[in-house]
Amino acid sequence: MSMLTPPGLKGKQYRITGTAYPRLSRPHRRRRHVLLALVGVLTLAVLGWGTVQLFGVFGPKKAGATAGCKRSVTANAGDAAHPSATPSAGASAASAATSALPAAVSAGGVPKPSAITVNVYNATNRSGLAGQTAALLKQRGFLIGKIGNAPAALQNKLAASAQVTGGSTSGALMTVLGSEVAGAKPVVDARKDASVDLVLGNGFTALSTPAQAAQALAQATTPTPAPSSANHC
């Protein structure tokens, strides 16, 4: 088979030489490959993000998150029980309740010293101890009854710091008076009145400071909270 060469041109000038032939490909195939690669990467990223979200929802919870949920449930329960309560209203109610208390009772329901009549007795050989202690108790607001020596059965036989004696219905009065002397021992007798005896023993050195007495009274009158069942979210 012969090739036609245009007139005036030599065929050798347009002869193809070499062992490789140029391969022609459609230009849009490369774009298609790039797009497929991008789609694959995006698909993997979406699947990975979804896996992380599912693990966060159904995976194990941390202790801090559970505790926070318990606190939130407790707060919501209080709000539901008192939907109309506000801080200002609560403060007003507390103030009104405190002003309505009897003059002989403190805000915590504990008798005030001004409602307690104390008989002070000295069971030691130290002269004037009962009078000095009674004067200090009077400065702290207590009413003072009798002052003198303790009965013969207690003279030089009370090793403790003091003994607080009262009737069966005077438990709160004895608690308030007992907080004034560290180590005081309560004793209940058959008296019918509301008086309380403070018998000073050989272990007595001085009354507690007002701060120490207030702390001892708070510890003696604060109820122990009952254990509550655990809440689960």
Side-chain angles (χ1 to χ4, degrees), residues 86-98:
T86 59
S88 58
S92 300
S95 177
T98 302

Side-chain angles (χ1 to χ4, degrees), residues 2-15:
S2 61
M3 296 181 62
L4 298 178
T5 303
L9 297 177
K10 296 179 179 181
K12 292 182 179 181
Q13 295 178 354
Y14 299 95
R15 184 178 298 176

Side-chain angles (χ1 to χ4, degrees), residues 50-61:
T51 303
V52 172
Q53 295 298 318
L54 290 175
F55 182 80
V57 173
F58 299 102
K61 304 296 182 181

Side-chain angles (χ1 to χ4, degrees), residues 108-187:
V110 180
K112 293 182 179 181
S114 59
I116 304 176
T117 299
V118 183
N119 302 316
V120 184
Y121 298 110
N122 183 10
T124 72
N125 291 328
R126 288 177 281 175
S127 178
L129 185 61
Q132 297 171 4
T133 305
L136 293 176
L137 291 174
K138 186 176 181 179
Q139 292 178 3
R140 299 186 182 186
F142 290 90
L143 299 177
I144 304 302
K146 300 177 182 179
I147 301 174
N149 293 326
L154 294 175
Q155 282 293 331
N156 292 320
K157 297 179 181 179
L158 185 59
S161 60
Q163 175 179 298
V164 177
T165 307
S168 58
T169 60
S170 301
L173 306 178
M174 296 168 60
T175 299
V176 175
L177 180 59
S179 65
E180 300 290 336
V181 183
K185 296 182 178 180
V187 175

Side-chain angles (χ1 to χ4, degrees), residues 21-125:
Y21 293 91
R23 294 183 180 181
L24 301 180
S25 61
R26 298 179 182 179
H28 65 275
R29 289 185 178 180
R30 180 176 299 177
R31 297 177 183 176
R32 182 184 300 176
H33 293 165
V34 173
L35 290 176
L36 290 177
L38 290 176
V39 171
V41 172
L42 290 176
T43 302
L44 292 177
V46 171
L47 291 176
W49 181 81
T51 303
V52 172
Q53 295 298 318
L54 290 175
F55 182 80
V57 173
F58 299 102
K61 304 296 182 181
K62 295 183 179 180
T66 304
C69 181
K70 292 180 181 179
R71 290 193 295 269
S72 177
V73 170
T74 303
N76 292 337
D79 294 340
H82 305 283
S84 61
T86 59
S88 58
S92 300
S95 177
T98 302
S99 61
L101 291 173
V105 180
S106 65
V110 180
K112 293 182 179 181
S114 59
I116 304 176
T117 299
V118 183
N119 302 316
V120 184
Y121 298 110
N122 183 10
T124 72
N125 291 328

